Amino acid sequence: LTAHVCWLGFSITNRNQRETRLRTAQALVRHMQRGLQPGLQSIEGILPELQHALTGVEDAETLRRVREIALRVKNNAMQMQEYLDLQLINLRYLSLEERVERLSAEALVRGVVDSYPYHTALFKDAVSVQVTQDFDFVGSQDQWLYVVRNLLENALIGVFANAQKPRPGDVVISVQRAGDQGRIRVRDRGRGIDAENLPYIFEPFYVVGKFSGLGLGLSFCKSVVEWSGGRISVRSVPLEGCSVSMVLPCLPQRT
């Protein structure tokens, strides 16, 4: 009995500490967003002025170089904004939505892949979708859009960390169904995850690598997958790539 009481006390204390850290992190990210938002909006406002200023430039090479720089600045500003938005979504970890709906795995995946703000065309061309058989499952669309997007972003970061030019097939998102179970899998030929880190990657605030955020992404993904009645697992070989697999119970096929 004493051991049970001690374990219960430790569990409650640990949960309270986690909730405190989550609230603190949420406040920090919101503070960062408020501080950076004016600067990001200013960059977006400058770009049209820069384009207008180029109307009097006749040298083709100068025009090409300045426009290329302007595009890089725009993409960087978009990625900063996306990063802040995603970290705020991460921090919804403690309050999963209760509203559920019927989701198509294929539509979900293709929607994320098509709308993702790729840094360059090379990264976009590196991503492919393979659908063996679509399936429907229950979940919150907003939550699941984030899950797939987070896994796609992790895969692209893994490819980027390999310090090699992205190639077609470096990231493959597959959808398949077998009986009453469906699977969404995100595979990459990136940096991979070291064996000593694998047991901890779903723990809140556990971060690996210099491109990691607050360490809530995979923890949030795991919660969403389990909330839909599924399970998530990761396999990785360092320097060869990573595979994240989500197995979900399927809804009866539409008639």
Side-chain angles (χ1 to χ4, degrees):
L1 178 61
T2 302
H4 178 74
V5 171
C6 289
W7 177 86
L8 181 61
F10 173 79
S11 178
I12 293 173
T13 300
N14 189 53
R15 180 175 179 179
N16 288 341
Q17 289 177 345
R18 185 180 68 179
E19 291 180 358
T20 300
R21 293 178 68 187
L22 283 166
R23 293 191 185 98
T24 301
Q26 187 175 38
L28 176 61
V29 172
R30 284 176 173 166
H31 177 74
M32 291 171 58
Q33 189 176 47
R34 285 195 297 268
L36 291 175
Q37 196 75 46
L40 294 174
Q41 291 176 346
S42 176
I43 291 174
E44 294 177 357
I46 290 173
L47 292 175
E49 295 181 18
L50 180 60
Q51 294 289 346
H52 178 72
L54 290 174
T55 55
V57 178
E58 297 181 356
D59 183 68
E61 180 62 19
T62 299
L63 279 172
R64 185 193 66 80
R65 290 183 60 188
V66 174
R67 284 172 177 163
E68 182 180 283
I69 292 171
L71 180 61
R72 288 168 57 190
V73 171
K74 179 181 179 180
N75 287 338
N76 286 338
M78 288 177 58
Q79 288 180 348
M80 289 175 65
Q81 184 62 61
E82 290 287 336
Y83 177 80
L84 290 171
D85 291 342
L86 286 175
Q87 294 308 325
L88 282 175
I89 295 174
N90 279 347
L91 293 164
R92 295 167 65 187
Y93 174 74
L94 291 176
S95 57
L96 292 177
E97 297 176 5
E98 296 181 357
R99 180 173 57 86
V100 297
E101 51 201 309
R102 186 183 189 112
L103 302 177
S104 159
E106 180 178 2
L108 182 76
V109 168
R110 292 195 185 279
V112 171
V113 171
D114 291 344
S115 64
Y116 187 84
Y118 300 94
H119 184 60
T120 66
L122 286 176
F123 279 99
K124 182 177 182 179
D125 294 340
V127 180
S128 62
V129 177
Q130 297 178 353
V131 179
T132 304
Q133 183 179 359
D134 189 20
F135 65 92
D136 290 352
F137 64 99
V138 170
S140 162
Q141 179 163 321
D142 288 342
Q143 302 282 354
W144 270 96
L145 285 172
Y146 169 75
V147 168
V148 178
R149 184 177 179 132
N150 181 267
L151 296 179
L152 172 57
E153 181 161 308
N154 287 349
L156 291 171
I157 289 174
V159 172
F160 177 77
N162 253 358
Q164 295 179 353
K165 185 178 293 186
R167 301 163 297 168
D170 273 350
V171 178
V172 178
I173 306 181
S174 59
V175 174
Q176 61 187 89
R177 176 174 182 156
D180 60 355
Q181 290 189 328
R183 183 190 303 270
I184 301 174
R185 177 180 293 162
V186 181
R187 292 173 290 165
D188 69 73
R189 296 190 295 219
R191 174 68 178 77
I193 302 172
D194 294 332
E196 61 267 26
N197 292 318
L198 276 176
Y200 310 106
I201 58 175
F202 291 115
E203 293 187 3
F205 300 105
Y206 189 81
V207 296
V208 179
K210 63 181 180 179
F211 299 107
S212 300
L214 297 175
L216 291 172
L218 285 177
S219 178
F220 183 87
C221 291
K222 183 174 185 290
S223 295
V224 174
V225 173
E226 292 179 348
W227 188 59
S228 289
R231 62 185 186 275
I232 184 171
S233 60
V234 177
R235 293 182 179 180
S236 180
V237 177
L239 302 181
E240 292 186 15
C242 188
S243 174
V244 182
S245 182
M246 295 170 289
V247 178
L248 296 156
C250 298
L251 291 174
Q253 294 183 333
R254 300 175 189 268
T255 58

